[in-house]
Structure formats: C-alpha cells, structure tokens
Amino acid sequence: QKEVEQNSGPLSVPEGAIASLNCTYSDRGSQSFFWYRQYSGKSPELIMSIYSNGDKEDGRFTAQLNKASQYVSLLIRDSQPSDSATYLCAVKSRNSGNTPLVFGKGTRLSVIA
Amino acid sequence: GAVVSQHPSWVICKSGTSVKIECRSLDFQATTMFWYRQFPKQSLMLMATSNEGSKATYEQGVEKDKFLINHASLTLSTLTVTSAHPEDSSFYICSASAGQGSYGYTFGSGTRLTVV
C-alpha cells in the first residue's frame, strides 16, 4: 500500500515568516513529487514539482527532496495571508502518463496577519 | 497551459437519481483521465483511471456499476453516479494526463454533489 503522510495541522505562522511543510512517503521507488495548494471548496492547483534530490526554488517557494529519507518538504518564505490553504503532497511512482498521483491528507496552513 | 473544464460545478439531486459529470480537455488530448473523490477535511481518493477507448480501472472498494466512467474521446471523459444516495455526496474532481512522459497533471475545477 503506497502511502503519503503529512501532518494535518493546522500550522499557524505570522505574516512574513517562513512556513515549513513536511511529507513522507512509503514507496521507495517513487519518481516524481508534487506540492498542490487547495483552497476550501476548490480543486488543487500545482505549486511545485521536484524529481531530483536537493532543493528547487520558485519565487517564495522552495521544495526539498531527500529520496534516501523518503522525505519531501515545502518552504514558503514571506508568508502571506493569501497563502492560507491546505497544502497537499502528491507522489507518483513512475514517470508515465497513466500513473495516478497518491495524495497525502494535506496540511492546513494559517498565516496570521 | 493545459486546461480541463469540468461541469457542472455543483449539483443537487434527489436520492435514487443519476448524475453525470463531464470533464473536457480544452487544449490537449487527454489519453488518461483520473477521477478522484474528496470528502470534507479528507484528502483526494482515487476512484478510477480511464484511458481513451478502453474500460476504466477502478480502485478497490469503488463500485464500477455505480460509478460509470466513459472516456470515448481524447477530449472528453464522463463520470455518472447512478442511483445516487446521500452517502455519495462529495466533491468529485477529474485530472488529466496528456500521455507518456507527462509529469504533471491538470485538474478540473471539481463538482460538488449533494444528494438529498
């Protein structure tokens, strides 16, 4: 059973702070990793994807991957109230178009103004 | 970028009736479509994977005769919830893949189904 684990939160951070979101996965053969943001009542939107060990930065977001530890994280710098949402970690076991994503339960982030 | 249009965005139906949800890929050919269901405060749970022109593959515990999936073309996939019951009330989301080697998926906007 492939599993993706996340702390459900809520994670509360003050505006301007760094928010750190973590995710672990059980399938050691997983190839692709994604972070999605989901606002209440809306469908997920892709924030970051990462495929290799190390860090990947995109604006205020940094994804970190450690395949040996089976660990993925997302850092949000200069957090804004508009970042308040549920963040879903998703893992794909193979890099093919017909492999579904396995989602974690999500971490609810609250950025306090 | 790739866009998936999902309709309706919300629907209320009476218990025992059927509801059809459509997902269309607007600017790419979706060889594979995934259908997810999300209950309140829960994560997305994969219901089934459909490939154009073939039968859908359902996840364990999902009744294929209740959740009918049709993927007759490369731009349209439908999910029909037959004989809906209140416990089927949920948020249904489709996600499309453009094919082999495609790493990212595009999600539809979701359909909020309420069965009364």
Side-chain angles (χ1 to χ4, degrees), chain A residues 24-95:
Chain A
T24 59
Y25 58 95
S26 64
D27 184 2
R28 184 171 288 278
S30 298
Q31 298 288 321
S32 308
F33 308 86
F34 305 87
W35 283 100
Y36 285 84
R37 177 175 61 197
Q38 186 178 26
Y39 293 110
S40 180
K42 303 294 185 182
S43 68
E45 54 180 325
L46 181 66
I47 296 177
M48 293 281 290
S49 59
I50 186 166
Y51 312 109
S52 304
N53 281 328
D55 295 359
K56 179 181 178 182
E57 186 175 320
D58 183 0
R60 296 186 296 113
F61 301 97
T62 298
Q64 299 173 317
L65 173 61
N66 184 326
K67 289 186 177 180
S69 300
Q70 296 173 238
Y71 174 89
V72 193
S73 66
L74 178 70
L75 299 178
I76 306 174
R77 290 181 298 281
D78 188 23
S79 296
Q80 302 296 310
S82 58
D83 294 327
S84 298
T86 296
Y87 289 80
L88 302 170
C89 174
V91 175
K92 187 174 173 184
S93 60
R94 289 182 296 118
N95 285 339

